[in-house]
Amino acid sequence: MKNIITKVLKKHVILIIIELILIVLNVYLLTVPSTITGKIIDLLYNLDGNKQNILKQTGLLIISCILILITRVIWKMLDAKFSRNLVKEFRDRLFEKLLKIDVSKLQQKKNGDIMSYFVKDIQEVRKFISNTTTTTVRFFLNFLIVAIAMSKSTNIKLTLMVLLPIFISIILILLNLRKLSKHYEDSRIKFTDLSEFVQESTDSIRTTKAYCGENKQCEEFINKNSSLKNTNFNVIKRESLMSNYNTLGLGIGFGILVLVGSKMVLNGEMSIGDFVAFSGYMTILSSPIRWMPWIIKHFKKVQVSYKRLQEMFDMKEEKIKIDNSYEELKGEIEIKNLDFKYYDGYENVLENINIKVTPGKSLGIIGVIGSGKTTLMNLILKLYEVPNGKIFIDGKDINNIKTDTIRNNICYITQDNFLFSTTLRENINLFRDIYDETDIIDSTKSSMIYDEIQEMEDGIDTVIGEKGIDLSGGQKQRVVISRAFLSDSNIVIFDDTFSALDNKTEESLLKNIRELTKNKTCIIISNRISDIKHCDEIVVLEHGNIVERGKHSELIKNKNKYYEFYKNQAEKSNVDILS
């Protein structure tokens, strides 16, 4: 994170320097009107004799006000430009990082956390670098320049007396920092929990309505929202206390100015013009003093946000280079004595897995949910770290094959059937323009979705809703399966992608898939016998172990675990799935 901030700041160094110069100039100019006003008041005692000088000072006062306005407007415009650039640069870097993070590590993060990085945390860093930094510079400059102007126009004694209560209030504010930091951390955690809950609720809204769960969801939301409100209230109370310290210090300072300053005027130690100028300096000084709680607040907030973003940027990346040039693999896959457990697991998810599938052959994998089927495919795709000497493609250890080469050679149709909120065309070609119209149309015909697409108003260019909400479950699956018919990969994997299809559509689609993969390596994962019965070899997974393997007819004769799947499914469907 530190390196990213440094690079971004170097990129905009000229803009930053110009902005800082304008701030220094603006702060200095702010003291000029008070000084000139004090001089004019003293000149008014001899109006006729000082008429020319008064006009001159009035002219300088107008010019100084115009210069203050000009420097402030230009500085604010530059600051706005710099702030927007910062947000864009940080979000670009964060999104690039997000796509590169190892999947096994990324799964440790909640969606609410990730959204919070992009929305709140980046904004806090931006505020600190842009707003808070410039405000801090102005704070110290105002203090320095005004203090010098005060001591020059009157005397050092009055200046110290006025500034003493202000310094004491600053010390009290600093003593509250630790508690404020804890409240900020609590607030951020509660906000993340609420964001995660809202996102999950919107994703599952149809399920919630189907089971009349609205009241329960509302109660849960109210509780989480109330918890966030309470933590935010604690933050507000602590911030309010700091502001009161601030106001108290300023109030005492002004009180000393009025009591001591007026006495000095009466004793002839100070002119009325100097008193007015001193009052003007105090007014100028009151602004940066009031900024103090704001600066501290954002400093503590950015500490929390910076730490969270740093954790994100420190996450392990995959060693992958995305380009269009990669080695072509023939597709032979061999797994030898593979054991695997997740990063936080105590038990193996997969144990002693031995599988070999060659080009032109198909492998069916069946097992109940949680048996390790998808985990096995994720290991082949190198989505998780694979032990050396366990998985080989074309005789090479996959750890010695570039990750992008492996993924470019595998067409993986996932079980979640994810669709983007864009056109059907782009969902099928995955935003790659290397396919012509005929290829895309042919892929939809092979996946048995062509006729339904033609009935849509915009055909293949129809824009579907978020996550394909406008399509039925079967339509989603067939749109996703179209990607396999468009791909020229030598390894094709179907991970439980036929569950929403009727028997007739499924039978025709599987026939097309067998034709597609006759010279390729094909792996079909399913919980249904009908999806895998034509595979050259079938393995049955249970608790991460291969408990059976063979052809469909052999496994039926064995009357073991596979036969139980067959019998249960045949009874439910009243269909002979032996044929």
Side-chain angles (χ1 to χ4, degrees):
M1 184 65 187
K2 183 179 178 181
N3 291 335
I4 292 172
I5 292 174
T6 302
K7 288 179 182 178
V8 173
L9 293 180
K10 283 182 178 179
K11 186 176 180 180
H12 302 286
V13 64
I14 296 176
L15 190 65
I16 295 170
I17 292 172
I18 295 172
E19 188 176 343
L20 289 175
I21 291 172
L22 288 169
I23 290 172
V24 173
L25 185 58
N26 184 262
V27 171
Y28 171 73
L29 288 171
L30 284 173
T31 63
V32 174
S34 296
T35 304
I36 294 174
T37 303
K39 289 180 179 180
I40 292 173
I41 290 174
D42 285 337
L43 291 171
L44 290 174
Y45 284 104
N46 185 5
L47 184 60
D48 293 331
N50 296 322
K51 191 173 183 180
Q52 193 66 31
N53 200 2
I54 290 172
L55 290 174
K56 178 183 176 182
Q57 293 298 325
T58 303
L60 291 173
L61 179 62
I62 294 171
I63 292 171
S64 66
C65 291
I66 293 172
L67 289 174
I68 290 171
L69 178 63
I70 292 172
T71 54
R72 186 174 181 82
V73 168
I74 297 174
W75 148 47
K76 283 293 184 182
M77 289 175 62
L78 293 177
D79 186 60
K81 181 180 180 180
F82 179 54
S83 295
R84 300 288 80 79
N85 286 339
L86 281 179
V87 171
K88 178 187 178 299
E89 295 279 354
F90 288 145
R91 283 182 178 157
D92 286 348
R93 299 291 188 279
L94 182 58
F95 192 75
E96 288 173 10
K97 177 67 181 184
L98 183 68
L99 296 180
K100 293 177 182 177
I101 295 174
D102 189 290
V103 171
S104 62
K105 305 298 181 185
L106 190 61
Q107 286 179 339
Q108 301 173 37
K109 295 290 183 181
K110 295 180 179 180
N111 288 336
D113 259 337
I114 294 173
M115 291 306 299
S116 183
Y117 294 143
F118 280 95
V119 179
K120 293 200 73 173
D121 292 319
I122 282 181
Q123 285 291 358
E124 290 301 333
V125 174
R126 190 270 304 171
K127 286 177 184 177
F128 177 76
I129 293 175
S130 177
N131 297 2
T132 310
T133 303
T134 55
T135 303
T136 304
V137 171
R138 290 163 62 202
F139 174 81
F140 286 108
L141 281 174
N142 271 20
F143 230 106
L144 178 63
I145 293 173
V146 170
I148 292 172
M150 280 180 173
S151 60
K152 281 185 177 182
S153 64
T154 56
N155 58 64
I156 193 69
K157 180 182 177 182
L158 179 60
T159 302
L160 292 175
M161 290 177 67
V162 169
L163 293 181
L164 181 61
I166 295 174
F167 279 120
I168 293 174
S169 69
I170 291 173
I171 292 171
L172 291 173
I173 289 171
L174 294 174
L175 292 174
N176 277 272
L177 287 182
R178 181 173 294 181
K179 290 184 179 180
L180 182 63
S181 180
K182 183 181 182 302
H183 292 320
Y184 281 141
E185 181 66 31
D186 292 342
S187 176
R188 184 55 53 92
I189 292 171
K190 298 298 182 183
F191 175 80
T192 298
D193 288 344
L194 185 65
S195 298
E196 177 71 19
F197 181 78
V198 170
Q199 184 171 12
E200 188 178 83
S201 297
T202 54
D203 289 344
S204 63
I205 193 163
R206 287 190 292 181
T207 303
T208 301
K209 287 180 175 293
Y211 289 90
C212 299
E214 293 94 333
N215 290 338
K216 179 64 178 175
Q217 288 291 92
C218 282
E219 288 176 10
E220 186 71 16
F221 178 83
I222 289 169
N223 290 335
K224 288 182 179 294
N225 200 23
S226 178
S227 181
L228 176 61
K229 180 203 73 173
N230 292 335
T231 55
N232 284 338
F233 185 62
N234 289 333
V235 170
I236 292 169
K237 284 193 296 184
R238 190 60 58 176
E239 289 178 350
S240 177
L241 185 61
M242 290 198 306
S243 296
N244 289 333
Y245 288 147
N246 192 11
T247 303
L248 181 62
L250 281 172
I252 294 173
F254 271 107
I256 292 172
L257 171 62
V258 171
L259 293 174
V260 178
S262 59
K263 185 178 180 180
M264 291 177 70
V265 171
L266 292 173
N267 293 337
E269 300 175 41
M270 183 182 195
S271 70
I272 293 178
D274 285 340
F275 180 81
V276 172
F278 203 98
S279 300
Y281 298 146
M282 277 294 292
T283 303
I284 295 171
L285 192 60
S286 67
S287 294
I289 296 300
R290 290 193 178 97
W291 299 334
M292 185 72 178
W294 187 89
I295 293 171
I296 292 172
K297 177 179 73 174
H298 284 286
F299 179 72
K300 301 310 292 184
K301 278 187 176 182
V302 80
Q303 283 184 312
V304 176
S305 295
Y306 182 89
K307 182 180 177 182
R308 284 163 48 81
L309 287 170
Q310 185 64 56
E311 290 174 356
M312 186 74 171
F313 279 104
D314 284 343
M315 292 182 75
K316 183 180 178 181
E317 294 184 5
E318 292 182 309
K319 295 179 180 178
I320 183 169
K321 180 182 179 182
I322 305 299
D323 54 35
N324 293 323
S325 59
Y326 57 89
E327 177 188 355
E328 184 176 348
L329 301 177
K330 294 178 181 178
E332 180 182 280
I333 299 175
E334 186 173 9
I335 303 173
K336 297 180 180 179
N337 304 316
L338 172 66
D339 294 332
F340 177 75
K341 68 172 63 175
Y342 288 112
Y343 64 92
D344 58 351
Y346 297 101
E347 297 181 356
N348 285 336
V349 179
L350 296 169
E351 287 188 358
N352 196 31
I353 302 298
N354 289 275
I355 292 173
K356 184 173 183 178
V357 55
T358 57
K361 299 294 182 179
S362 58
L363 172 71
I365 302 177
I366 192 170
V368 297
I369 294 172
S371 58
K373 306 185 298 295
T374 298
T375 299
L376 184 58
M377 296 304 103
N378 288 336
L379 291 174
I380 293 174
L381 282 158
K382 288 182 74 173
L383 292 174
Y384 301 117
E385 288 189 14
V386 183
N388 289 323
K390 299 298 181 181
I391 301 179
F392 301 84
I393 298 180
D394 293 350
K396 298 179 182 178
D397 191 316
I398 65 167
N399 289 318
N400 297 326
I401 305 174
K402 292 180 180 179
T403 302
D404 52 317
T405 295
I406 289 176
R407 293 178 189 172
N408 276 314
N409 278 277
I410 297 177
C411 177
Y412 183 37
I413 309 300
T414 60
Q415 59 185 328
D416 58 7
N417 302 312
F418 186 85
L419 294 174
F420 297 93
S421 305
T422 183
T423 64
L424 287 168
R425 179 193 304 277
E426 290 177 327
N427 268 291
I428 294 171
N429 67 22
L430 292 177
F431 308 99
R432 292 176 291 183
D433 297 326
I434 59 176
Y435 307 107
D436 58 31
E437 187 76 11
T438 302
D439 293 332
I440 295 174
I441 294 301
D442 288 345
S443 73
T444 60
K445 290 179 178 178
S446 297
S447 63
M448 315 296 293
I449 191 65
Y450 174 78
D451 292 338
E452 288 159 78
I453 291 176
Q454 290 301 107
E455 292 175 1
M456 298 179 187
E457 185 176 351
D458 296 318
I460 197 71
D461 293 310
T462 298
V463 177
I464 59 176
E466 184 178 4
K467 297 182 181 180
I469 196 170
D470 300 331
L471 305 179
S472 68
Q475 287 174 327
K476 288 181 189 177
Q477 286 190 335
R478 283 174 286 155
V479 169
V480 172
I481 291 170
S482 297
R483 299 168 184 169
F485 290 98
L486 201 58
S487 171
D488 57 359
S489 302
N490 287 326
I491 302 172
V492 185
I493 300 173
F494 298 93
D495 188 354
D496 197 19
T497 47
F498 313 111
S499 57
L501 305 181
D502 61 77
N503 292 333
K504 183 178 179 181
T505 302
E506 180 191 11
E507 185 178 346
S508 299
L509 182 55
L510 287 170
K511 182 179 179 182
N512 292 341
I513 289 174
R514 288 195 293 273
E515 179 65 24
L516 168 72
T517 60
K518 61 183 179 182
N519 297 316
K520 300 182 178 184
T521 298
C522 179
I523 300 176
I524 299 177
I525 298 171
S526 181
N527 296 315
R528 303 197 305 183
I529 297 291
S530 58
D531 295 341
I532 61 171
K533 63 183 180 182
H534 293 295
C535 290
D536 297 300
E537 184 182 25
I538 299 169
V539 299
V540 182
L541 278 179
E542 185 175 38
H543 303 304
N545 293 274
I546 296 177
V547 294
E548 270 193 290
R549 67 195 317 153
K551 292 184 179 292
H552 172 75
S553 56
E554 297 170 351
L555 295 172
I556 292 294
K557 291 178 183 178
N558 291 342
K559 293 191 175 182
N560 205 324
K561 199 70 182 178
Y562 184 82
Y563 180 73
E564 291 180 15
F565 280 108
Y566 158 71
K567 188 169 64 173
N568 291 335
Q569 292 175 26
E571 289 174 355
K572 290 178 181 178
S573 61
N574 293 319
V575 174
D576 185 7
I577 55 177
L578 278 168
S579 58

